[in-house]
Amino acid sequence: MPKDHGIGASSKRREDIRFLTGRGVYTDDMNLHGQTYAVFVRSQVAHGRIKSINTSNAASMPGVLAVFTGEDFKDVGGNPAGWLINSRDGTPMREPKRPVLAHGKVRHVGDAYAAVVAESYAEAKDAAEQLAADSDIEELPAIIDMAAAVANASNRVHDEIPDNLCYDWGWIEDNRAAVDAAIKAAPHVTVLELVNNRLVPNAMEPRASIGEYFPGTGDYKLTTTSQNPHLTRLLVAAFVLGIPENKLTVVAPDVGGGFGSKIYHYGEEAVVLAAAKKLARPVRWTAERSESFLSDAHGRDHVTKIELACEKDGTFIAFRTETMANVGAYLSNFATVTPTFLHGTLMAGPYKVPNVYVNVKTVFTNTAPVDAYRGAGRPEATYSLERVIDKMCRELGLDPFEVRRKNFITTDMFPYTTPVGLAYDTGNYHATLDKAIEIGNVAGFEARRAASAKRGKLRGMGLSTWIEACGIAPSHLVGVLGARVGLYDAATVRVNATGNISVMTGAHSHGQGHETVFAQIVAEKLGVPEASVEIVHGDTSKIPFGMGSYGSRSLAVCGVAVTKAIDKIVAKGKKIAAHMLEAAEEDITFENGSFSVAGTDKAKTFGEIAFSAYVPHNYPLETLEPGLEETAFYDPANFTYPAGAYICEVEVDAETGKVDVVAFHCADDFGNIMNPMVVEGQVHGGVGQGIGQALCENTTYDDTGQLLTGSYMDYAMPRAGDVPFYNVDYSCQTPCTHNPLGVKGCGEAGAIGSPPAVVNAVIDALHRGGHTHVKHIDMPVSPSRVWQAIHG
Amino acid sequence: MTKVSMTVNGRAVSGEVEGRTLLSAFLREGLGLTGTHVGCDTSQCGACVVHVDGKAIKSCTVFAMDVAGAEVRTIEGMANADGSLGTIQQAFQDHHGLQCGFCTPGMVMSAAALLAENPKPSEADVRHYLDGNICRCTGYHNIVKAVLAASGQDVSAVAAE
Ligand code: FES
Ligand code: FES
């Protein structure tokens, strides 16, 4: 019987009730007394010098209360990069200032250089149009193509950066010579050049922010679409506006998806706060979808050459990659770590390959900033590896399943240190591969292929065996690698006097279901009903300082902080119980919500202990403080390493080039599972996004830097008809060895593992259909690309 | 400004609107019915779907004045009379058909319109009908499953039970 409550139960989500009845409260749903509306004026050119902005016409328009330009913010701080990367030669990365509003130059289409605040949205919008007309911006040649950006030293995104290069990073530089030598001497080398296509995250809720200022106390409040309210507060306070941290509250209420794009602090947040102070009225802004396309941080955008050196039997000898990563016009907060440590350290995959070297050149261009998007660096690494392995198998006539098996790290090798600096604690890659073969009924493929052929379709099967490092991150390690923050998390467990429980978490839920799943954990550990546990998140005035949710970290980091706080509650409860039961503390046991004296029937319920803590009449006040509330911070000792095997089957219509994903099987190892229903949902969502990347989505700028895919008319989001039902299995479980829940993290898996499975399946279909000249098709594998490849 | 009157979720309402006021804006700002969401500016995402005289429409695509006198139903009007979740809403919860919840009101309203038209849709029917509703979180799996379940069909055979 599956459990019906606590850890491991598929408890239905309590948050669903408000979302299903229209009672969720997202930022734009709030209405504040006296509110005003901000509209931003965005650059229409990719690269330009701001010669003048005449604000007087706009300022005198009906309803207009204030106009801001870059000039108003030139003396405040810039929005900082969160991670310092050093180039191979030891020099630090180039780090241009990212102003609140563009000043001097505009650097991408959509770069906000002014803002208007008015009594109504319509008035603000009208005035913003006027201001755009009154702006004299001299257009400069746009820098769009990465190779050209680096080659042309005279045309610069930032005047002080001559070759538009942020850094030239090598990982690990000491491996380089050995890798070069191994590749030179290898019996076989497969080379693949590929593009990891640029994506727009497209959380369905557009970004929105409301600034408030309270003149009586000098306090500020920012309500914003954030995955990490404390991080946003820190950035605004310490780096950008210089508001004392304790005078600023940041609230991230219900947030409609993030996928990375809402980790970062954006200039609009600073503007609504500054405007609120100036006007002493609430100032609100909500992005239109077109603004989201132009100004949300994008994802991926790598151009990579990967070489795989191996024996003739497919035993890996070395991997070497050269990547150009587009960072866009400015450094978004995690932009520098995404193509480096989140990518290069995964370039050994789940394989016992002895030699790996990764080179990444990160380049400024006149495009929107690029930063972490679901998976962040790890999908790029997985795609490169799993595609080149597939190509190698075809070149040598080897079975892709057998080649993986031959090269997998085996269970007796853990902990396993890779040549790119990670120490995998545990895993069983053979088990997940076997499981995928079983649930995907690989044995029955030939019959399915024949059936497809009867319908005139080419059927193919693609495999991807992925691993990732998540549960971000051990602070000591990331500190050595250049992080400018710690990456622990925190939770406060407050047992109220009446015995119910409030848990304040640093993690933020924007779809992941924390309100339900964290309550399951607390209920299990304290032996109380789930319904008596309330999860509070998203408000810096209520929650302890935690780093928020991204990098599949909520459970593996914050969830562990919750359990650590519970351990402290239980320890204190035992002291109280020992006093009340007149027993020695060591003799008190806690089980199923009851403190009892071992070997006797003397017991106190959890509720009685809580009551006693708050009404301490019979209580050891000399040695113990009253109250029952504990906070724990948890800094993980290592990353966690979920892994799995994905099998995709496609049907290709050779006439039109159209690809249909007809089956998708996932065999994942996420360690212990807290709520299977939620885990499956996370995998579904990730795979859906991965299929989107593989088949539909692409972000295209033309040579002048105009975004050609700036709406849902042009940017192909996957729709319900583009994807199949997914088959998800998580029964292979090797619990994480270094956190007490044994959990790994499942939020990004689907997006990491799926794109190469899809593309490998398409290539397989074409080969089986006789189109063996097709070695590779770049994502998105659109009908036109497939058709061209067939006829190319 | 012009006065516009209509029935929303069975209640007679009226308000002052400009000619350019969209129905979505009237519902959200005029009536405080913020369950209807706005996810795009090109009538593509479906977060704003409501029913007007029984038909599903994208409320970001019609002017409030154009539906004067109509019967409008929004997500706030989908629960049972006693406040419990309606059949489709309950199926979405039972089958985890939502994550962040932003697309959800539009999904539920579209699903209701589908089932009114086609009480026993096939998987393909559901996927086709929801073409105008984008969800970024769920990969659609559990949404499709929830709609099939809400139609009274057995979904236990759907992959990944
Ligand atoms: S808001 Fe109406 S379709 Fe997107
Ligand atoms: S549940 Fe988040 S967009 Fe659908």
Side-chain angles (χ1 to χ4, degrees), chain A residues 70 158 172 304 441 667:
Chain A
H158 296 276
I172 293 175
T304 292
N441 184 13

Side-chain angles (χ1 to χ4, degrees), chain A residues 142-198:
Chain A
I143 301 152
I144 304 301
D145 178 71
M146 285 192 277
V150 176
N152 183 352
S154 60
N155 195 11
R156 301 172 180 182
V157 177
H158 296 276
D159 294 350
E160 69 279 18
I161 300 176
D163 47 11
N164 297 306
L165 192 64
C166 182
Y167 51 74
D168 173 0
W169 180 79
W171 191 252
I172 293 175
E173 209 48 31
D174 289 348
N175 292 357
R176 188 187 176 97
V179 170
D180 289 351
I183 289 178
K184 217 173 190 170
H188 181 85
V189 179
T190 295
V191 185
L192 179 60
E193 292 183 31
L194 52 84
V195 173
N196 205 290
N197 42 329
R198 183 176 181 124

